[in-house]
mmCIF file of all heavy atoms in Angstrom:
data_model
loop_
_atom_site.group_PDB
_atom_site.id
_atom_site.type_symbol
_atom_site.label_atom_id
_atom_site.label_comp_id
_atom_site.label_asym_id
_atom_site.label_seq_id
_atom_site.Cartn_x
_atom_site.Cartn_y
_atom_site.Cartn_z
ATOM 1 N N ALA A 1 6.944 7.373 -13.125
ATOM 2 C CA ALA A 1 6.885 7.695 -14.505
ATOM 3 C C ALA A 1 5.329 7.762 -14.933
ATOM 4 O O ALA A 1 4.583 6.951 -14.557
ATOM 5 C CB ALA A 1 7.495 6.521 -15.260
ATOM 6 N N PHE A 2 5.056 8.782 -15.680
ATOM 7 C CA PHE A 2 3.618 8.997 -16.057
ATOM 8 C C PHE A 2 3.255 8.032 -17.211
ATOM 9 O O PHE A 2 2.021 7.836 -17.445
ATOM 10 C CB PHE A 2 3.445 10.393 -16.480
ATOM 11 C CG PHE A 2 3.880 10.768 -17.912
ATOM 12 C CD1 PHE A 2 3.119 10.611 -18.981
ATOM 13 C CD2 PHE A 2 5.204 11.316 -18.096
ATOM 14 C CE1 PHE A 2 3.570 10.962 -20.336
ATOM 15 C CE2 PHE A 2 5.623 11.688 -19.366
ATOM 16 C CZ PHE A 2 4.930 11.473 -20.499
ATOM 17 N N TYR A 3 4.268 7.460 -17.935
ATOM 18 C CA TYR A 3 3.977 6.508 -19.012
ATOM 19 C C TYR A 3 4.942 5.371 -19.047
ATOM 20 O O TYR A 3 6.155 5.625 -18.891
ATOM 21 C CB TYR A 3 4.009 7.253 -20.330
ATOM 22 C CG TYR A 3 3.844 6.348 -21.580
ATOM 23 C CD1 TYR A 3 2.600 6.130 -22.198
ATOM 24 C CD2 TYR A 3 4.983 5.737 -22.134
ATOM 25 C CE1 TYR A 3 2.519 5.282 -23.324
ATOM 26 C CE2 TYR A 3 4.817 4.910 -23.253
ATOM 27 C CZ TYR A 3 3.573 4.710 -23.794
ATOM 28 O OH TYR A 3 3.508 3.857 -24.797
ATOM 29 N N ILE A 4 4.398 4.180 -19.156
ATOM 30 C CA ILE A 4 5.289 2.937 -19.328
ATOM 31 C C ILE A 4 4.677 2.206 -20.455
ATOM 32 O O ILE A 4 3.475 1.960 -20.620
ATOM 33 C CB ILE A 4 5.316 2.061 -18.094
ATOM 34 C CG1 ILE A 4 5.689 2.867 -16.879
ATOM 35 C CG2 ILE A 4 6.192 0.910 -18.267
ATOM 36 C CD1 ILE A 4 5.480 2.137 -15.581
ATOM 37 N N GLY A 5 5.492 1.960 -21.506
ATOM 38 C CA GLY A 5 5.037 1.099 -22.684
ATOM 39 C C GLY A 5 6.019 0.027 -22.967
ATOM 40 O O GLY A 5 7.314 0.145 -22.736
ATOM 41 N N ALA A 6 5.564 -1.113 -23.519
ATOM 42 C CA ALA A 6 6.421 -2.227 -23.907
ATOM 43 C C ALA A 6 6.127 -2.819 -25.249
ATOM 44 O O ALA A 6 4.927 -3.038 -25.533
ATOM 45 C CB ALA A 6 6.208 -3.282 -22.803
ATOM 46 N N LEU A 7 7.102 -2.939 -26.041
ATOM 47 C CA LEU A 7 6.955 -3.470 -27.430
ATOM 48 C C LEU A 7 6.668 -4.961 -27.416
ATOM 49 O O LEU A 7 7.209 -5.679 -26.631
ATOM 50 C CB LEU A 7 8.213 -3.155 -28.291
ATOM 51 C CG LEU A 7 8.238 -3.480 -29.738
ATOM 52 C CD1 LEU A 7 7.259 -2.579 -30.477
ATOM 53 C CD2 LEU A 7 9.552 -3.429 -30.281
ATOM 54 N N GLY A 8 5.803 -5.427 -28.362
ATOM 55 C CA GLY A 8 5.507 -6.850 -28.488
ATOM 56 C C GLY A 8 4.084 -7.078 -28.702
ATOM 57 O O GLY A 8 3.225 -6.249 -28.656
ATOM 58 N N SER A 9 3.865 -8.303 -29.314
ATOM 59 C CA SER A 9 2.467 -8.643 -29.652
ATOM 60 C C SER A 9 1.599 -8.857 -28.447
ATOM 61 O O SER A 9 2.069 -8.803 -27.212
ATOM 62 C CB SER A 9 2.433 -9.995 -30.448
ATOM 63 O OG SER A 9 2.895 -10.973 -29.567
ATOM 64 N N ARG A 10 0.312 -9.040 -28.568
ATOM 65 C CA ARG A 10 -0.651 -9.165 -27.459
ATOM 66 C C ARG A 10 -0.164 -10.445 -26.637
ATOM 67 O O ARG A 10 -0.327 -10.523 -25.469
ATOM 68 C CB ARG A 10 -2.064 -9.291 -28.002
ATOM 69 C CG ARG A 10 -2.626 -7.963 -28.628
ATOM 70 C CD ARG A 10 -4.056 -8.092 -28.899
ATOM 71 N NE ARG A 10 -4.462 -6.880 -29.648
ATOM 72 C CZ ARG A 10 -4.655 -5.725 -29.169
ATOM 73 N NH1 ARG A 10 -4.617 -5.475 -27.784
ATOM 74 N NH2 ARG A 10 -5.045 -4.655 -29.864
ATOM 75 N N ARG A 11 0.104 -11.539 -27.428
ATOM 76 C CA ARG A 11 0.560 -12.771 -26.747
ATOM 77 C C ARG A 11 1.669 -12.517 -25.927
ATOM 78 O O ARG A 11 1.972 -13.094 -24.897
ATOM 79 C CB ARG A 11 0.694 -13.905 -27.743
ATOM 80 C CG ARG A 11 0.990 -15.266 -27.147
ATOM 81 C CD ARG A 11 0.942 -16.341 -28.099
ATOM 82 N NE ARG A 11 -0.492 -16.575 -28.719
ATOM 83 C CZ ARG A 11 -0.820 -17.481 -29.452
ATOM 84 N NH1 ARG A 11 0.059 -18.428 -30.024
ATOM 85 N NH2 ARG A 11 -2.169 -17.558 -29.911
ATOM 86 N N THR A 12 2.766 -11.753 -26.572
ATOM 87 C CA THR A 12 4.020 -11.547 -25.833
ATOM 88 C C THR A 12 3.689 -10.717 -24.591
ATOM 89 O O THR A 12 4.339 -10.966 -23.474
ATOM 90 C CB THR A 12 4.959 -10.721 -26.770
ATOM 91 O OG1 THR A 12 5.389 -11.593 -27.923
ATOM 92 C CG2 THR A 12 6.219 -10.375 -26.112
ATOM 93 N N HIS A 13 2.881 -9.820 -24.723
ATOM 94 C CA HIS A 13 2.534 -8.844 -23.555
ATOM 95 C C HIS A 13 1.816 -9.764 -22.463
ATOM 96 O O HIS A 13 2.030 -9.642 -21.302
ATOM 97 C CB HIS A 13 1.646 -7.845 -23.960
ATOM 98 C CG HIS A 13 1.364 -6.768 -22.886
ATOM 99 N ND1 HIS A 13 2.448 -6.112 -22.257
ATOM 100 C CD2 HIS A 13 0.324 -6.369 -22.314
ATOM 101 C CE1 HIS A 13 1.948 -5.287 -21.355
ATOM 102 N NE2 HIS A 13 0.639 -5.404 -21.339
ATOM 103 N N GLU A 14 0.946 -10.710 -22.840
ATOM 104 C CA GLU A 14 0.309 -11.664 -21.829
ATOM 105 C C GLU A 14 1.393 -12.492 -21.199
ATOM 106 O O GLU A 14 1.197 -12.547 -19.900
ATOM 107 C CB GLU A 14 -0.652 -12.508 -22.552
ATOM 108 C CG GLU A 14 -1.972 -11.833 -23.031
ATOM 109 C CD GLU A 14 -2.813 -12.710 -23.887
ATOM 110 O OE1 GLU A 14 -2.439 -13.843 -24.043
ATOM 111 O OE2 GLU A 14 -3.866 -12.183 -24.404
ATOM 112 N N ARG A 15 2.265 -12.901 -21.821
ATOM 113 C CA ARG A 15 3.305 -13.713 -21.100
ATOM 114 C C ARG A 15 4.173 -12.719 -20.220
ATOM 115 O O ARG A 15 4.591 -13.240 -19.111
ATOM 116 C CB ARG A 15 4.231 -14.359 -22.190
ATOM 117 C CG ARG A 15 3.591 -15.491 -22.981
ATOM 118 C CD ARG A 15 4.607 -16.384 -23.617
ATOM 119 N NE ARG A 15 5.398 -15.637 -24.680
ATOM 120 C CZ ARG A 15 5.029 -15.580 -25.973
ATOM 121 N NH1 ARG A 15 3.901 -16.332 -26.376
ATOM 122 N NH2 ARG A 15 5.752 -14.849 -26.840
ATOM 123 N N ARG A 16 4.429 -11.585 -20.705
ATOM 124 C CA ARG A 16 5.165 -10.589 -19.884
ATOM 125 C C ARG A 16 4.444 -10.288 -18.615
ATOM 126 O O ARG A 16 5.053 -10.261 -17.474
ATOM 127 C CB ARG A 16 5.362 -9.311 -20.716
ATOM 128 C CG ARG A 16 5.917 -8.124 -19.919
ATOM 129 C CD ARG A 16 5.982 -7.002 -20.830
ATOM 130 N NE ARG A 16 6.705 -7.040 -22.102
ATOM 131 C CZ ARG A 16 6.240 -6.720 -23.266
ATOM 132 N NH1 ARG A 16 5.096 -6.325 -23.470
ATOM 133 N NH2 ARG A 16 7.012 -6.928 -24.269
ATOM 134 N N LEU A 17 3.124 -10.117 -18.654
ATOM 135 C CA LEU A 17 2.363 -9.735 -17.530
ATOM 136 C C LEU A 17 2.352 -10.951 -16.500
ATOM 137 O O LEU A 17 2.318 -10.763 -15.227
ATOM 138 C CB LEU A 17 0.893 -9.393 -17.937
ATOM 139 C CG LEU A 17 0.702 -8.073 -18.627
ATOM 140 C CD1 LEU A 17 -0.725 -7.793 -19.031
ATOM 141 C CD2 LEU A 17 1.290 -6.939 -17.895
ATOM 142 N N ALA A 18 2.341 -12.082 -17.008
ATOM 143 C CA ALA A 18 2.317 -13.291 -16.273
ATOM 144 C C ALA A 18 3.630 -13.470 -15.499
ATOM 145 O O ALA A 18 3.656 -13.784 -14.335
ATOM 146 C CB ALA A 18 2.066 -14.563 -17.101
ATOM 147 N N ARG A 19 4.723 -13.077 -16.096
ATOM 148 C CA ARG A 19 6.032 -13.215 -15.432
ATOM 149 C C ARG A 19 6.115 -12.227 -14.318
ATOM 150 O O ARG A 19 6.599 -12.386 -13.268
ATOM 151 C CB ARG A 19 7.201 -12.963 -16.417
ATOM 152 C CG ARG A 19 7.436 -14.086 -17.475
ATOM 153 C CD ARG A 19 8.744 -13.841 -18.142
ATOM 154 N NE ARG A 19 8.967 -12.477 -18.735
ATOM 155 C CZ ARG A 19 8.578 -12.288 -19.971
ATOM 156 N NH1 ARG A 19 7.959 -13.169 -20.711
ATOM 157 N NH2 ARG A 19 8.742 -11.050 -20.527
ATOM 158 N N LEU A 20 5.627 -10.971 -14.585
ATOM 159 C CA LEU A 20 5.645 -9.958 -13.556
ATOM 160 C C LEU A 20 4.673 -10.209 -12.415
ATOM 161 O O LEU A 20 4.946 -9.939 -11.287
ATOM 162 C CB LEU A 20 5.332 -8.540 -14.149
ATOM 163 C CG LEU A 20 6.320 -8.043 -15.242
ATOM 164 C CD1 LEU A 20 5.832 -6.821 -15.875
ATOM 165 C CD2 LEU A 20 7.648 -7.731 -14.617
ATOM 166 N N ALA A 21 3.522 -10.813 -12.743
ATOM 167 C CA ALA A 21 2.633 -11.252 -11.666
ATOM 168 C C ALA A 21 3.258 -12.265 -10.803
ATOM 169 O O ALA A 21 2.994 -12.212 -9.541
ATOM 170 C CB ALA A 21 1.331 -11.701 -12.270
ATOM 171 N N GLU A 22 4.048 -13.157 -11.292
ATOM 172 C CA GLU A 22 4.713 -14.096 -10.426
ATOM 173 C C GLU A 22 5.701 -13.502 -9.525
ATOM 174 O O GLU A 22 6.048 -14.020 -8.507
ATOM 175 C CB GLU A 22 5.470 -15.116 -11.384
ATOM 176 C CG GLU A 22 4.520 -16.089 -12.102
ATOM 177 C CD GLU A 22 5.317 -17.010 -13.061
ATOM 178 O OE1 GLU A 22 6.545 -16.851 -13.111
ATOM 179 O OE2 GLU A 22 4.566 -17.809 -13.717
ATOM 180 N N GLN A 23 6.137 -12.284 -9.913
ATOM 181 C CA GLN A 23 7.120 -11.529 -9.009
ATOM 182 C C GLN A 23 6.379 -10.675 -7.959
ATOM 183 O O GLN A 23 6.943 -9.993 -7.100
ATOM 184 C CB GLN A 23 7.931 -10.652 -9.751
ATOM 185 C CG GLN A 23 8.879 -11.309 -10.858
ATOM 186 C CD GLN A 23 9.687 -10.295 -11.636
ATOM 187 O OE1 GLN A 23 10.261 -9.260 -11.082
ATOM 188 N NE2 GLN A 23 9.976 -10.574 -12.868
ATOM 189 N N GLY A 24 5.009 -10.742 -7.950
ATOM 190 C CA GLY A 24 4.202 -10.111 -6.944
ATOM 191 C C GLY A 24 3.550 -8.900 -7.389
ATOM 192 O O GLY A 24 2.857 -8.271 -6.571
ATOM 193 N N TRP A 25 3.535 -8.449 -8.670
ATOM 194 C CA TRP A 25 2.992 -7.279 -9.095
ATOM 195 C C TRP A 25 1.454 -7.497 -9.324
ATOM 196 O O TRP A 25 1.159 -8.493 -9.871
ATOM 197 C CB TRP A 25 3.678 -6.769 -10.381
ATOM 198 C CG TRP A 25 5.011 -6.220 -10.120
ATOM 199 C CD1 TRP A 25 6.122 -6.970 -10.341
ATOM 200 C CD2 TRP A 25 5.343 -4.971 -9.686
ATOM 201 N NE1 TRP A 25 7.257 -6.153 -10.025
ATOM 202 C CE2 TRP A 25 6.805 -4.892 -9.580
ATOM 203 C CE3 TRP A 25 4.645 -3.724 -9.376
ATOM 204 C CZ2 TRP A 25 7.482 -3.831 -9.245
ATOM 205 C CZ3 TRP A 25 5.357 -2.732 -8.888
ATOM 206 C CH2 TRP A 25 6.740 -2.722 -8.894
ATOM 207 N N ARG A 26 0.731 -6.622 -8.716
ATOM 208 C CA ARG A 26 -0.742 -6.854 -8.811
ATOM 209 C C ARG A 26 -1.329 -6.302 -10.198
ATOM 210 O O ARG A 26 -0.562 -5.458 -10.857
ATOM 211 C CB ARG A 26 -1.535 -6.029 -7.668
ATOM 212 C CG ARG A 26 -1.045 -6.522 -6.264
ATOM 213 C CD ARG A 26 -1.897 -5.794 -5.291
ATOM 214 N NE ARG A 26 -1.905 -4.404 -5.259
ATOM 215 C CZ ARG A 26 -0.954 -3.632 -4.727
ATOM 216 N NH1 ARG A 26 0.102 -4.244 -4.093
ATOM 217 N NH2 ARG A 26 -1.053 -2.339 -4.824
ATOM 218 N N ALA A 27 -2.562 -6.777 -10.576
ATOM 219 C CA ALA A 27 -3.067 -6.400 -11.864
ATOM 220 C C ALA A 27 -3.211 -4.891 -12.004
ATOM 221 O O ALA A 27 -2.983 -4.369 -12.998
ATOM 222 C CB ALA A 27 -4.448 -7.118 -12.047
ATOM 223 N N ALA A 28 -3.605 -4.209 -10.895
ATOM 224 C CA ALA A 28 -3.774 -2.737 -11.020
ATOM 225 C C ALA A 28 -2.550 -2.092 -11.316
ATOM 226 O O ALA A 28 -2.416 -1.047 -11.966
ATOM 227 C CB ALA A 28 -4.429 -2.246 -9.712
ATOM 228 N N GLN A 29 -1.445 -2.631 -10.757
ATOM 229 C CA GLN A 29 -0.093 -1.991 -11.063
ATOM 230 C C GLN A 29 0.315 -2.328 -12.390
ATOM 231 O O GLN A 29 0.892 -1.442 -13.082
ATOM 232 C CB GLN A 29 0.916 -2.545 -10.018
ATOM 233 C CG GLN A 29 0.630 -2.223 -8.630
ATOM 234 C CD GLN A 29 1.573 -2.936 -7.595
ATOM 235 O OE1 GLN A 29 1.650 -4.213 -7.687
ATOM 236 N NE2 GLN A 29 2.157 -2.260 -6.722
ATOM 237 N N LEU A 30 0.011 -3.579 -12.888
ATOM 238 C CA LEU A 30 0.484 -3.913 -14.313
ATOM 239 C C LEU A 30 -0.268 -3.161 -15.340
ATOM 240 O O LEU A 30 0.174 -3.026 -16.431
ATOM 241 C CB LEU A 30 0.393 -5.431 -14.474
ATOM 242 C CG LEU A 30 1.309 -6.201 -13.495
ATOM 243 C CD1 LEU A 30 0.945 -7.753 -13.719
ATOM 244 C CD2 LEU A 30 2.801 -6.041 -13.915
ATOM 245 N N ALA A 31 -1.452 -2.600 -15.001
ATOM 246 C CA ALA A 31 -2.295 -1.960 -15.922
ATOM 247 C C ALA A 31 -1.661 -0.651 -16.281
ATOM 248 O O ALA A 31 -2.074 -0.049 -17.285
ATOM 249 C CB ALA A 31 -3.648 -1.656 -15.349
ATOM 250 N N ARG A 32 -0.635 -0.241 -15.677
ATOM 251 C CA ARG A 32 0.169 0.906 -16.059
ATOM 252 C C ARG A 32 0.881 0.826 -17.354
ATOM 253 O O ARG A 32 1.244 1.702 -18.010
ATOM 254 C CB ARG A 32 1.095 1.495 -14.983
ATOM 255 C CG ARG A 32 0.434 1.968 -13.703
ATOM 256 C CD ARG A 32 1.588 2.287 -12.622
ATOM 257 N NE ARG A 32 2.366 3.321 -13.060
ATOM 258 C CZ ARG A 32 3.653 3.572 -12.584
ATOM 259 N NH1 ARG A 32 4.038 2.836 -11.537
ATOM 260 N NH2 ARG A 32 4.353 4.601 -12.966
ATOM 261 N N ILE A 33 1.132 -0.464 -17.616
ATOM 262 C CA ILE A 33 2.032 -0.782 -18.852
ATOM 263 C C ILE A 33 1.070 -0.713 -20.060
ATOM 264 O O ILE A 33 0.133 -1.411 -20.156
ATOM 265 C CB ILE A 33 2.693 -2.119 -18.724
ATOM 266 C CG1 ILE A 33 3.532 -2.279 -17.488
ATOM 267 C CG2 ILE A 33 3.511 -2.385 -19.995
ATOM 268 C CD1 ILE A 33 4.145 -3.597 -17.159
ATOM 269 N N HIS A 34 1.457 0.068 -21.102
ATOM 270 C CA HIS A 34 0.822 0.105 -22.368
ATOM 271 C C HIS A 34 1.352 -0.973 -23.203
ATOM 272 O O HIS A 34 2.507 -0.882 -23.652
ATOM 273 C CB HIS A 34 0.943 1.511 -23.004
ATOM 274 C CG HIS A 34 0.286 2.601 -22.315
ATOM 275 N ND1 HIS A 34 -0.941 3.001 -22.571
ATOM 276 C CD2 HIS A 34 0.668 3.394 -21.237
ATOM 277 C CE1 HIS A 34 -1.424 3.981 -21.785
ATOM 278 N NE2 HIS A 34 -0.314 4.262 -20.961
ATOM 279 N N GLY A 35 0.622 -2.033 -23.486
ATOM 280 C CA GLY A 35 1.146 -3.099 -24.284
ATOM 281 C C GLY A 35 -0.065 -3.718 -25.082
ATOM 282 O O GLY A 35 -1.073 -4.057 -24.373
ATOM 283 N N PRO A 36 0.160 -3.976 -26.285
ATOM 284 C CA PRO A 36 1.348 -3.507 -27.040
ATOM 285 C C PRO A 36 1.467 -2.037 -27.147
ATOM 286 O O PRO A 36 0.483 -1.325 -27.137
ATOM 287 C CB PRO A 36 0.977 -4.107 -28.504
ATOM 288 C CG PRO A 36 0.001 -5.130 -28.344
ATOM 289 C CD PRO A 36 -0.792 -4.758 -27.148
ATOM 290 N N ILE A 37 2.778 -1.613 -27.145
ATOM 291 C CA ILE A 37 2.976 -0.168 -27.025
ATOM 292 C C ILE A 37 2.428 0.618 -28.184
ATOM 293 O O ILE A 37 2.343 0.186 -29.317
ATOM 294 C CB ILE A 37 4.553 0.035 -26.833
ATOM 295 C CG1 ILE A 37 4.839 1.526 -26.425
ATOM 296 C CG2 ILE A 37 5.312 -0.228 -28.171
ATOM 297 C CD1 ILE A 37 6.348 1.651 -25.990
ATOM 298 N N GLY A 38 2.088 1.893 -28.071
ATOM 299 C CA GLY A 38 1.671 2.775 -29.081
ATOM 300 C C GLY A 38 0.240 2.757 -29.431
ATOM 301 O O GLY A 38 -0.490 1.790 -29.059
ATOM 302 N N LEU A 39 -0.274 3.904 -30.086
ATOM 303 C CA LEU A 39 -1.632 3.954 -30.439
ATOM 304 C C LEU A 39 -1.876 2.970 -31.548
ATOM 305 O O LEU A 39 -0.971 2.699 -32.393
ATOM 306 C CB LEU A 39 -1.991 5.403 -30.931
ATOM 307 C CG LEU A 39 -1.948 6.496 -29.911
ATOM 308 C CD1 LEU A 39 -2.386 7.779 -30.605
ATOM 309 C CD2 LEU A 39 -2.901 6.162 -28.779
ATOM 310 N N ASP A 40 -3.091 2.457 -31.590
ATOM 311 C CA ASP A 40 -3.425 1.375 -32.594
ATOM 312 C C ASP A 40 -3.738 2.104 -33.905
ATOM 313 O O ASP A 40 -4.926 2.445 -34.198
ATOM 314 C CB ASP A 40 -4.618 0.548 -32.103
ATOM 315 C CG ASP A 40 -4.881 -0.570 -33.065
ATOM 316 O OD1 ASP A 40 -4.097 -0.744 -34.017
ATOM 317 O OD2 ASP A 40 -5.833 -1.341 -32.849
ATOM 318 N N ILE A 41 -2.788 2.380 -34.760
ATOM 319 C CA ILE A 41 -2.944 3.023 -36.049
ATOM 320 C C ILE A 41 -2.537 2.048 -37.130
ATOM 321 O O ILE A 41 -2.394 2.540 -38.294
ATOM 322 C CB ILE A 41 -2.122 4.294 -36.092
ATOM 323 C CG1 ILE A 41 -0.623 4.061 -35.961
ATOM 324 C CG2 ILE A 41 -2.605 5.345 -35.107
ATOM 325 C CD1 ILE A 41 0.273 5.216 -36.287
ATOM 326 N N GLY A 42 -2.413 0.707 -36.846
ATOM 327 C CA GLY A 42 -1.974 -0.232 -37.776
ATOM 328 C C GLY A 42 -0.570 0.030 -38.353
ATOM 329 O O GLY A 42 -0.352 -0.211 -39.449
ATOM 330 N N ALA A 43 0.253 0.485 -37.412
ATOM 331 C CA ALA A 43 1.642 0.863 -37.778
ATOM 332 C C ALA A 43 2.402 -0.254 -38.347
ATOM 333 O O ALA A 43 2.382 -1.455 -37.856
ATOM 334 C CB ALA A 43 2.334 1.398 -36.540
ATOM 335 N N ARG A 44 3.175 -0.040 -39.367
ATOM 336 C CA ARG A 44 4.067 -1.059 -40.009
ATOM 337 C C ARG A 44 5.416 -0.379 -40.167
ATOM 338 O O ARG A 44 5.555 0.611 -40.635
ATOM 339 C CB ARG A 44 3.541 -1.559 -41.327
ATOM 340 C CG ARG A 44 2.182 -2.288 -41.228
ATOM 341 C CD ARG A 44 1.774 -2.624 -42.675
ATOM 342 N NE ARG A 44 0.541 -3.424 -42.490
ATOM 343 C CZ ARG A 44 0.443 -4.697 -42.496
ATOM 344 N NH1 ARG A 44 1.441 -5.360 -42.352
ATOM 345 N NH2 ARG A 44 -0.765 -5.287 -42.298
ATOM 346 N N GLY A 45 6.444 -1.190 -39.728
ATOM 347 C CA GLY A 45 7.814 -0.686 -39.940
ATOM 348 C C GLY A 45 8.230 0.347 -38.755
ATOM 349 O O GLY A 45 7.459 0.876 -38.116
ATOM 350 N N PRO A 46 9.575 0.527 -38.606
ATOM 351 C CA PRO A 46 10.077 1.297 -37.492
ATOM 352 C C PRO A 46 9.576 2.640 -37.436
ATOM 353 O O PRO A 46 9.305 3.160 -36.308
ATOM 354 C CB PRO A 46 11.636 1.252 -37.751
ATOM 355 C CG PRO A 46 11.793 0.035 -38.436
ATOM 356 C CD PRO A 46 10.653 -0.116 -39.409
ATOM 357 N N VAL A 47 9.438 3.385 -38.648
ATOM 358 C CA VAL A 47 9.065 4.828 -38.442
ATOM 359 C C VAL A 47 7.576 4.933 -38.019
ATOM 360 O O VAL A 47 7.294 5.733 -37.110
ATOM 361 C CB VAL A 47 9.157 5.424 -39.870
ATOM 362 C CG1 VAL A 47 8.607 6.910 -39.894
ATOM 363 C CG2 VAL A 47 10.635 5.532 -40.360
ATOM 364 N N GLU A 48 6.703 4.138 -38.557
ATOM 365 C CA GLU A 48 5.259 4.222 -38.156
ATOM 366 C C GLU A 48 5.062 3.752 -36.708
ATOM 367 O O GLU A 48 4.305 4.303 -35.945
ATOM 368 C CB GLU A 48 4.466 3.336 -39.068
ATOM 369 C CG GLU A 48 4.292 3.930 -40.494
ATOM 370 C CD GLU A 48 3.359 3.154 -41.371
ATOM 371 O OE1 GLU A 48 2.776 2.210 -40.873
ATOM 372 O OE2 GLU A 48 3.308 3.564 -42.582
#
């Protein structure tokens, strides 16, 4: 997959990365995940 993104706050994403690291995924591999997902445009609500 050319793109992987995951919804959640920065803190949520940090916990997510820690869980995946415990499963053996390296930092370089985890860097493929865009988290928090989406461009930083200050989006609010589902549409944005």
